[in-house]
Amino acid sequence: MTDTLISFTDRRRDTRPAATPRAQWPAWPVYGLIDDLYPVVAGWHADGHRVVLATLVAVTGSSPRPLGSEMAINDRGEVAGYVSGGCVEGAVAAQALDVLKTGEPVMLDYGAGSPVLDVQLTCGGRIGIFVRALEEPGAFIQHWEQARDQRQPLNVAIDLDTGTHRYGSAQPAGSDRVFRQRYLPPARLVIAGGDPVTLALAQLAPSFGYEVVLLRPYGPPSPPPGTALAHYDTRPLARALAALELDPFTALYTLTHDIDDDHAALAKGLSSPAFAVGALGSRSKASDRSARLRAAGFSDSDLDRLHTPAGLAINAREPREIALSVLAELVALRPRVNAATA
């Protein structure tokens, strides 16, 4: 994490000597590669740092980032996440340090028609970013952690006057200006198989934000090299599938090259709320798979959820190319946050 977090000091605003060395604003926006802010915020809090969240709460016209996008900034000026295409992040970080000093939340207004003339957006739109310190970070992190552990979304109502939070469907008292933020649990990808495409997919998927569960019946005791797996299961496939819990934020793809194992995995996936179910293989096998699943009682609407051959048609030939085509398909299907101002 320390490789990607950036420390920032706005020397125009604070000319006091820094207590610890701080880097200049980065030449490359590596902070924007951090999509999941939970481990960052939880880690900062555990280390005793104060935390500011900057949330994109209003968009007029074009915006490179959707509503609900967030940056986290701590009291050392370390930054993770982004709220624009790089146009305003430095200014937001400077404002966040001011918020820590004053204790007062601020609404920032950037873009076309904004009074901030020296910070404009190349997309031509206008955005509002609400910046507030987490005054009760322990409670915030606890709610977030509990939702993730239960694989459930966390709904947070943000009072745009005071910066306070209410969790679930509760409405902040005394405010008509509320932004409803929604945090989804990490996307999960279950892969059944052990071929080179399986290996490539297991290696690449975490860089797209997926927790990877690998099922390889009777596989070697150690997980494959170059992977960071959430779980590795070498039990017989029937036992592994029986223990598997699939939710709307999980995808299941089978790459076993065994018709019976593929069928068992697909039947498990189609019987669940998984957001994507797919199988690697030729188009000639796709009709056979569908016929067998239909004979097992799956309806046409069930089979409409089936992606076989797996992956988008990008003329992929090599294992990493095929893995990329599968990930591209998942990008198109993956559940997204739907945040809104009340």
Side-chain angles (χ1 to χ4, degrees):
M1 184 181 299
T2 56
D3 291 335
T4 53
L5 298 180
I6 299 302
S7 182
F8 166 69
T9 300
D10 184 347
R11 290 180 172 78
R12 297 170 300 170
R13 297 179 175 271
D14 189 353
T15 58
R16 295 172 298 176
T20 55
R22 297 183 180 184
Q24 296 290 333
W25 192 251
W28 294 98
V30 293
Y31 52 83
L33 298 180
I34 304 173
D35 294 320
D36 186 2
L37 293 184
Y38 168 77
V40 176
V41 172
W44 286 345
H45 176 63
D47 290 339
H49 294 296
R50 297 181 65 199
V51 180
V52 174
L53 285 181
T55 307
L56 180 61
V57 299
V59 173
T60 302
S62 299
S63 171
R65 297 288 287 154
L67 278 175
S69 298
E70 281 186 326
M71 285 176 65
I73 307 97
N74 71 13
D75 52 12
R76 290 173 56 89
E78 294 174 325
V79 176
Y82 73 118
V83 290
S84 79
C87 305
V88 306
E89 276 70 18
V92 172
Q95 290 286 343
L97 296 180
D98 283 349
V99 166
L100 282 177
K101 295 175 188 176
T102 66
E104 296 295 326
V106 296
M107 181 72 76
L108 306 179
D109 183 359
Y110 298 122
S114 164
V116 185
L117 299 178
D118 60 338
V119 182
Q120 296 295 304
L121 308 179
T122 56
C123 62
R126 186 171 180 175
I127 59 177
I129 300 166
F130 187 62
V131 184
R132 77 279 185 198
L134 290 181
E135 297 301 336
E136 297 182 353
F140 186 86
I141 292 166
Q142 183 178 13
H143 279 90
W144 205 350
E145 179 181 28
Q146 185 178 33
R148 289 164 69 96
D149 288 346
Q150 296 175 352
R151 300 285 298 165
Q152 294 293 324
L154 173 63
N155 296 309
V156 181
I158 306 168
D159 188 318
L160 298 182
D161 292 318
T162 65
T164 57
H165 300 86
R166 294 292 184 272
Y167 304 98
S169 58
Q171 173 81 12
S175 177
D176 295 327
R177 298 201 313 143
V178 176
F179 184 80
R180 300 195 177 279
Q181 177 66 293
R182 197 165 202 244
Y183 299 100
L184 301 184
R188 183 172 289 168
L189 174 60
V190 179
I191 314 168
D195 69 347
V197 177
T198 301
L199 178 58
L201 191 54
Q203 289 177 342
L204 290 175
S207 65
F208 285 75
Y210 286 89
E211 296 179 349
V212 175
V213 174
L214 178 58
L215 313 180
R216 186 179 179 187
Y218 310 106
S222 298
T227 60
L229 303 179
H231 182 61
Y232 174 54
D233 198 330
T234 61
R235 293 178 296 175
L237 189 62
R239 290 179 58 193
L241 291 174
L244 193 62
E245 294 185 6
L246 301 176
D247 56 49
F249 311 101
T250 300
L252 185 151
Y253 276 66
T254 178
L255 301 84
T256 68
H257 302 282
D258 181 280
I259 188 170
D260 294 326
D261 284 349
D262 280 352
H263 174 78
L266 293 175
K268 174 73 176 186
L270 293 177
S271 299
S272 78
F275 75 86
V277 180
L280 191 67
S282 65
R283 295 188 181 279
S284 61
K285 290 183 178 179
S287 59
D288 294 338
R289 284 198 181 98
S290 295
R292 185 173 177 181
L293 288 165
R294 189 174 286 106
F298 289 96
S299 66
D300 288 342
S301 61
D302 292 328
L303 297 179
D304 286 342
R305 299 171 54 214
L306 179 61
H307 300 275
T308 181
L312 298 186
I314 60 171
N315 198 30
R317 303 291 179 85
E318 303 300 328
R320 287 187 178 86
E321 294 175 346
I322 298 170
L324 180 62
S325 75
V326 172
L327 288 167
E329 185 169 79
L330 292 175
V331 167
L333 299 170
R334 180 174 176 172
R336 301 292 181 178
V337 169
N338 184 19
T341 301

